Amino acid sequence: MSSIATQEAHDSTNGSGLPESEEEKIYVASHRQLMWWRFRKHKVAVGSTAVVLLLYLVALACEFLAPYDQSAYDAKYIYAPPQRVRFFSADGFHLRPFVYALEGERDPETLVMLYEEDRQTIYPIHFFVRGSPYSFWGLFDTDLHLFGIREEEGTMFLLGSDRNGRDLLTRILYGTRISMSIGLVGVILSLVLGVLIGGVSGYYGGPIDDVIQRIIEFLRSIPSIPLWLTLSAALPSDWSALRIYLGITVILSFIGWTGLARVVRGRFLALREEEFIMAARFAGVSEIRIILRHMVPSFLSHIIASLTLAIPNMILSETALSFLGLGLRPPIVSWGVLLKEAQNVQAVALAPWLFLPGVFVVIAVLAFNFVGDGLRDAADPYAN
Amino acid sequence: MLKFILRRLLITIPMLFGISIVTFVLIQLPPGDFLTSYIAELESTGHVLDDAEIASLRNRYGLDSPLYAQFLKWFWNMIQGDFGVSFQWNKPVNELIWERLALTFIISLATLIFTWVVALPIGVYSATHQYAVSDYVITFFGFLGRGIPDFMLALILMWIGLIYLGTSAGGLFSLEYKQAPWSFAKVWDLLKHLWVPIIVLGTSNTAGLIRIMRNNLLDELHKPYVETARSKGLTEQRILWKYPVRIALNPFVSTVGWVLPTLISGATIVSVVLSLPTTGPLLLSALLSQDMYLAGSFVMILSTLTILGTLVSDILLAWIDPRIRME
């Protein structure tokens, strides 16, 4: 839809022209303002930005948002199906939503757990309930959760439970923290490498540029997944969870920086020849000031756009590595670690909700892609 | 043209040498040397090697010599076609990998063809019907195809297969053909199983290519030469296929270079999920059990395939677009 709007707006400027005041507004608008106007036109990108922000909010406050603790389990509820949030019971409408109690029974022949709703017992869902204690970012200790049920014996598995009877919703929310941050940390690492090496390559040019470009081409010619697999297999198995996490981000950014270095280099090369850089040079501005004051601001937006487009690849790679058992390992919870549970088709046939972490992966990847698309368009507000 | 091909071939040689160094370093990265773990493993199964055997093994891999000498020895053996011995399987690597590599290559190639055959007409259709409902539907599915991880698509297909067809969609052969020697019946059986991995592997690339084709063609469609052709009275179909589509095809050719490596890479994960008898599962198990010669050979050969893929695409591109040769 947004592209139609863009097209129409574009046509109208070509035709009779904008009203005088509107046109003036465009002439005097700052670069940042033009970019914002441009970005706003891409409706899907704006919506996706909200989704990305929401996901990071979840990542920040997952302990509070999740109804349970990430490792809390209940052996009585293995592969319990998602419980529906209801407003209507046999007695009519309830203003406060509730879930029915779950009755589990093991099938004597197949030994599969079968669940049935107990329509007699209802557990109302309350906001701000006391539950498992946690330390919020080490700042303060609390046991407040956004929502949950008050009854100790009841369960609320809104997205079902896994093979240990752990609440999937809780684990997905905790996984959001790891999966969303691993992309961010990895991208920042590749950014530092990419800007440094790409900048050197583009600014000095000549033989240095040649050597760096050959190295980049070389790194890109190694098939990434076998390389990642080999590198992750080399991580010692006795490392702590945190070190493994850092190790994986380093491995992911090891390849990621080459793409960014190319973008930075291309921008440097293009800008070196621009008139305004030339003018600055003739005016006797120092090299470092030219780079920081004149060059960096004009390609910063491009860098941000490519960064945003690089994050989903990192998320996908982490998911794939963890899925294969070479990335993050339990007790760390990430979307990939959760999806590993779905590796067994028999288990999935029994509990299709094990796919749900994958839905989050798809949402995150798509949202980042759309935001990146919008940013890329906005980075060059003068193009039609 | 010949000069161009020769020059590209010459660049390939140092590249391959470089990759062999990287691969060798990767083999050496895990702590402990593989022979120690190999001997420990043998001893745990009750098979004790005597000193002479150990010495001959150490000698075979030159483990007592410095690293650079070990590398040269490994490299030299590899050039002669000896990839070493897999500890896990206790067989020469050569016996294990070639059939799997061939199957990997068949799957990748078939996926490439599938990608093109699907992406080209859909891309052209999408561009010529810009902003139509069908265009939006195609765009939507295109984005979805890019967002779903390959292995999840594989899982979903297998799950659907299990629920609705009652069979597992995994594998490349039916049970009765798994160990059978190659025959027409076996090839036919292979073709019947091939579609699942092809769809799984091809989806994201197809989605990407549709996007590229659409954007390129949209750029071309409004150029003056199209108008000229139209004013000369050519039919729309003829204009479309004779001029703009041909120009918009360039990226298809240039993507051979990166499609082949991503396919081979992607096949690694997907084949683990679908339990295909390709390189993926063997590479994974080799990595997990630190069977480093086997793993190293795979990485080396897959990298070589990747470089050859890039080479082929460069040559094709230079053949189609003479401007590139001149650079």
Side-chain angles (χ1 to χ4, degrees), chain B residues 83 93 97-98 101 296-306:
Chain B
F83 288 94
V93 170
I97 56 175
W98 290 112
L101 275 171
S297 311
F298 270 134
V299 174
M300 190 64 214
I301 294 171
L302 291 178
S303 309
T304 311
L305 274 181
T306 308

Side-chain angles (χ1 to χ4, degrees), chain A residues 1 3-4 218 221 223-227 229-231 316 319-320 323-324 326 342 345 348-349 352 355 358 366 369-370, chain B residues 15 18-19 22 26 131 136 143 146 149 151-152 155 158-159 162 265 268-269 272-273 284 287-288 299 302-303 306:
Chain A
M1 289 307 276
S3 359
I4 290 182
F218 172 69
S221 69
S224 54
I225 290 174
L227 181 64
L229 293 180
T230 318
L231 283 172
L316 280 178
T319 313
F323 175 77
L324 290 178
L326 281 169
V345 181
V348 173
F355 276 138
L366 285 182
N369 270 322
F370 285 129
Chain B
M15 279 262 214
I19 285 184
V22 171
L26 289 174
Y131 303 135
Y136 282 116
F143 277 117
R146 261 168 65 190
F151 65 87
M152 214 176 109
L155 277 174
M158 286 193 39
W159 175 59
L162 191 72
S265 272
T268 314
I269 293 179
V272 171
V273 179
L284 185 67
L287 286 170
L288 289 174
V299 174
L302 291 178
S303 309
T306 308

Side-chain angles (χ1 to χ4, degrees), chain B residues 143-272:
Chain B
F143 277 117
L144 205 63
R146 261 168 65 190
I148 298 183
D150 281 357
F151 65 87
M152 214 176 109
L153 197 62
L155 277 174
I156 292 172
L157 277 184
M158 286 193 39
W159 175 59
I160 292 173
L162 191 72
I163 298 257
Y164 294 100
L165 307 173
T167 57
S168 165
L172 272 185
F173 302 104
S174 310
L175 267 181
E176 63 263 37
Y177 289 111
K178 228 170 209 164
Q179 302 296 333
W182 283 98
S183 63
F184 277 116
K186 186 170 179 174
V187 172
W188 180 239
D189 188 55
L190 172 68
L191 289 179
K192 275 196 291 193
H193 283 79
L194 212 52
W195 65 272
V196 180
I198 286 181
I199 289 180
V200 169
L201 276 172
T203 303
S204 70
N205 276 328
T206 309
L209 267 183
I210 289 175
R211 237 25 235 163
I212 294 175
M213 188 68 204
R214 179 181 180 273
N215 292 345
N216 279 340
L217 196 54
L218 280 177
D219 282 347
E220 293 298 324
L221 279 179
H222 300 291
K223 291 218 168 135
Y225 71 84
V226 178
E227 215 51 50
T228 313
R230 197 168 285 141
S231 68
K232 281 172 128 181
L234 287 174
T235 61
E236 280 298 317
Q237 284 301 316
R238 213 177 139 76
I239 297 172
L240 182 67
W241 291 99
K242 198 156 165 57
Y243 305 109
V245 168
R246 258 171 71 180
I247 294 174
L249 265 181
N250 257 7
F252 271 67
V253 177
S254 62
T255 49
V256 185
W258 57 258
V259 165
L260 209 58
T262 48
L263 283 178
I264 291 170
S265 272
T268 314
I269 293 179
V270 170
S271 49
V272 171

